Amino acid sequence: KKKLKISGRELVSVPPQVFGLDQLQVLEMSPERESCLRYRMELLPQEISRLRNLTCLYVDSNNLKKIPAEIGTLSCLERLTLSNNNLSSLPAEMGALQRLHSLHLANNSLTELPAPVCQLRSLIFLDVSDNKIGTIPSSIRHLEKLETLLLLFNSLESLPEDVCVLRNLRTLWLGNNQLQSLPAAFGELVNLDWGYNYCSCNFEGNPLESPPPEVCSRGPEGIRDYFLSLHRI
């Protein structure tokens, strides 16, 4: 068996028989979105390390408080969803997941972007919306392949210049934070889609002063011109 979905109104643990399925590639332990259920699993067992062929692990909408260090042994993992849990940190061993390209961490209790995340060089999609993140480490510059970064509903007061190094970014959502200014090099993120129908760069809900919101709406060229004019002054 290569794909398994475990469901149940009162799911609180992983059935031990699952860890004998050493050819398993996809393991889903998240309730259906339309069901409005929330599972109650608090711990992902250490035995998860036996599933060495896993490429996708879905554990959304549980009550996870801790991820075991053994997660780092899942070297084939490409997609990991941990949204809607109670995580306040991630194990350092997660930095070993060098095939991981999609990581979902929305709606947890993270107060900072965990250091292991910034070691995931293959990461293309990262969602850390709806946490309590107040700062972004400079090591984010290592996520060279990152195309989507969702940071809505956090506590960000500033962005490091290092974000502007992520030239492959196509979607960057920063809405509903505490940002008063953007880095001077922000206008270098020219691959962001600033179209009218789908704005991939979102600033709504921030007390932006530099540059003001009307400048941001003009796209990267408008932001570059704004900072150039400040430099001339």
Side-chain angles (χ1 to χ4, degrees):
K1 194 173 183 66
K2 293 188 177 183
K3 184 176 182 179
L4 176 65
K5 176 176 175 58
I6 301 175
S7 60
R9 183 174 293 275
E10 299 296 329
L11 183 67
V12 295
S13 62
V14 185
Q17 299 93 325
V18 170
F19 303 118
L21 303 174
D22 56 3
Q23 297 303 309
L24 200 62
Q25 295 179 0
V26 179
L27 176 57
E28 185 172 353
M29 296 180 287
S30 302
E32 299 290 345
R33 292 186 179 182
E34 59 270 18
S35 72
C36 298
L37 292 177
R38 188 183 183 97
Y39 293 171
R40 297 187 293 115
M41 186 162 51
E42 295 187 0
L43 179 67
L44 195 61
Q46 297 176 344
E47 288 81 2
I48 195 73
S49 62
R50 297 181 189 174
L51 305 179
R52 297 296 179 89
N53 289 301
L54 271 187
T55 59
C56 299
L57 177 58
Y58 303 91
V59 207
D60 297 286
S61 300
N62 276 274
N63 195 28
L64 292 177
K65 298 177 181 177
K66 185 179 180 181
I67 301 298
E70 286 75 10
I71 193 80
T73 64
L74 303 180
S75 58
C76 293
L77 205 60
E78 297 177 358
R79 183 178 176 87
L80 176 60
T81 68
L82 297 168
S83 297
N84 305 316
N85 281 289
N86 288 313
L87 298 171
S88 59
S89 63
L90 297 175
E93 288 78 5
M94 259 192 65
L97 302 177
Q98 289 304 310
R99 291 190 186 182
L100 198 67
H101 59 69
S102 182
L103 178 58
H104 298 241
L105 294 168
N107 195 20
N108 276 285
S109 299
L110 299 171
T111 56
E112 59 183 4
L113 190 61
V117 172
C118 297
Q119 300 171 25
L120 303 173
R121 303 296 180 91
S122 295
L123 211 58
I124 295 175
F125 180 97
L126 174 60
D127 183 1
V128 285
S129 302
D130 205 3
N131 278 281
K132 302 173 184 176
I133 296 173
T135 58
I136 301 295
S138 60
S139 53
I140 196 172
R141 64 168 46 239
H142 298 314
L143 303 182
E144 299 172 352
K145 296 182 180 180
L146 198 63
E147 295 182 2
T148 300
L149 176 57
L150 308 183
L151 286 160
L152 296 89
F153 293 98
N154 276 289
S155 302
L156 291 173
E157 295 184 358
S158 64
L159 285 178
E161 290 276 351
D162 303 86
V163 170
C164 306
V165 176
L166 305 177
R167 301 299 171 81
N168 286 314
L169 272 183
R170 298 185 179 277
T171 303
L172 175 60
W173 287 3
L174 297 165
N176 293 90
N177 279 281
Q178 302 299 318
L179 295 173
Q180 296 186 28
S181 63
L182 298 177
F186 195 88
E188 300 301 320
L189 296 175
V190 294
N191 284 321
L192 290 174
D193 173 15
W194 298 75
Y196 293 104
N197 296 324
Y198 178 71
C199 183
S200 69
C201 195
N202 174 285
F203 300 105
E204 292 181 2
N206 285 284
L208 272 177
E209 296 177 0
S210 178
E214 59 269 20
V215 172
C216 292
S217 65
R218 299 173 194 164
E221 290 185 3
I223 292 176
R224 279 201 304 267
D225 291 344
Y226 172 82
F227 283 113
L228 282 173
S229 66
L230 290 182
H231 183 71
R232 295 191 194 102
I233 295 172

